[in-house]
Amino acid sequence: MRKIALLAGGFGTRLSEETTIRPKPMVEIGGRPIMWHIMKIYAHYGYKDFVVIGGYKVEYIRDYFLNYRSRASDFTIDLKSGDVDWLEAIGEDWRVTIVDTGHDTLTGGRLLRARHLLEGGRFGLTYGDGVSNVDIPAVVAAHEAAGAWCTLTAVTQPGRYGALRIDEDGGRVQGFREKGAADGGLINGGFFVCEPELLDLIDGDHTTFEAEPMERLIERGKLASYHHDGFWQSMDSLRDKHLLEELWANGAPWKVW
């Protein structure tokens, strides 16, 4: 994969206690934005070229990365000249591109607006609010073996999500269905591997990535899955944030780096 795209433009309405002042991917776990944790997971496996697909409060994301070194490092500054002497410059060996895809654009439209940054080859894609100890190279290997245009990571999570119907022979995704809180079926956990052909299946700004493009992939037999039975957790509510904070304080099962 050449680049890793992170969807970071939504409103995060179920986490409004935090997202009135910042986009959800910038809500902090252990003093760092959850998006930083996701990027650390990818960087651990050697994927360090990121495209952050922003929208809502994208300026917060821009400011964070523009000032990343000054936030993390000790320095001496000459207030008259503006010269900075970095006593211990701390940073990451990442390349981060931040693109504003509009305030009201839906997930598929956001991806389409970032097409010029992604269509040069295979790319990774995930949401800016979920962490996991998923083996990224294993997802890539499953994608290559399936000959798919898109491979998603299927995880187990009870409650409120739409479950997947997966062909047990080959792992092809056959469809989606609603599920109840007691249903322990597999769900879409993000951490996608994508081919640029996927972008041709998105109509425009008002396309939800998880709707028409996914259905079109299924119709073509080009949507595959990788079953991850390890840790995965999204941050959709204040309760989720508190859970992740507690897990971080006790070793963080997603901390593969």
Side-chain angles (χ1 to χ4, degrees), residues 75-86:
F75 60 86
T76 300
I77 183 169
D78 185 317
L79 294 181
K80 184 174 182 179
S81 67
D83 293 338
V84 177
D85 180 17
W86 298 100

Side-chain angles (χ1 to χ4, degrees), residues 38 41-42 44-45 126 130-140 152-155 189-192 226-232 253-256:
I38 297 166
I41 294 167
Y42 276 103
H44 171 72
Y45 292 107
T126 198
V131 290
S132 177
N133 61 355
V134 60
D135 183 340
I136 303 297
V139 185
V140 175
L152 58 80
T153 297
V155 299
F191 294 94
F192 302 90
Y226 170 81
H227 182 194
H228 171 62
D229 59 3
F231 177 84
W232 177 90
W254 67 89
K255 189 178 179 182
V256 295

Side-chain angles (χ1 to χ4, degrees), residues 30-206:
R32 298 277 196 168
I34 190 168
M35 185 164 64
W36 176 89
H37 293 262
I38 297 166
M39 295 164 87
K40 288 289 282 187
I41 294 167
Y42 276 103
H44 171 72
Y45 292 107
Y47 301 107
K48 301 179 181 182
D49 192 345
F50 300 98
V51 178
V52 178
I53 303 176
Y56 173 67
K57 294 189 179 295
V58 67
E59 65 279 2
Y60 197 105
I61 301 174
R62 286 171 169 161
D63 288 346
Y64 177 80
F65 285 105
L66 282 172
N67 296 291
Y68 189 91
R69 184 164 67 167
S70 63
R71 289 172 184 270
S73 306
D74 294 337
F75 60 86
T76 300
I77 183 169
D78 185 317
L79 294 181
K80 184 174 182 179
S81 67
D83 293 338
V84 177
D85 180 17
W86 298 100
L87 304 182
E88 183 183 5
I90 298 173
E92 306 284 354
D93 57 341
W94 305 345
R95 177 180 174 86
V96 182
T97 301
I98 299 165
V99 55
D100 182 3
T101 58
H103 193 268
D104 299 312
T105 311
L106 300 183
T107 49
R110 294 192 188 284
L111 194 55
L112 193 61
R113 285 196 179 203
R115 179 174 192 155
H116 61 292
L117 299 168
L118 301 172
E119 60 185 354
R122 180 179 297 161
F123 61 93
L125 169 68
T126 198
Y127 304 106
D129 61 358
V131 290
S132 177
N133 61 355
V134 60
D135 183 340
I136 303 297
V139 185
V140 175
H143 176 80
E144 292 176 344
W149 287 0
C150 179
T151 297
L152 58 80
T153 297
V155 299
T156 303
Q157 170 77 6
R160 79 178 178 272
Y161 297 93
L164 301 168
R165 287 190 290 108
I166 296 177
D167 176 6
E168 294 182 3
D169 182 17
R172 297 285 180 179
V173 178
Q174 297 179 321
F176 298 86
R177 61 180 174 81
E178 294 301 316
K179 67 190 291 290
D183 185 343
L186 296 175
I187 64 165
N188 170 18
F191 294 94
F192 302 90
V193 178
C194 305
E195 300 297 330
E197 288 85 352
L198 164 68
L199 301 171
D200 293 329
L201 305 181
I202 303 172
D203 294 328
D205 281 357
H206 300 293

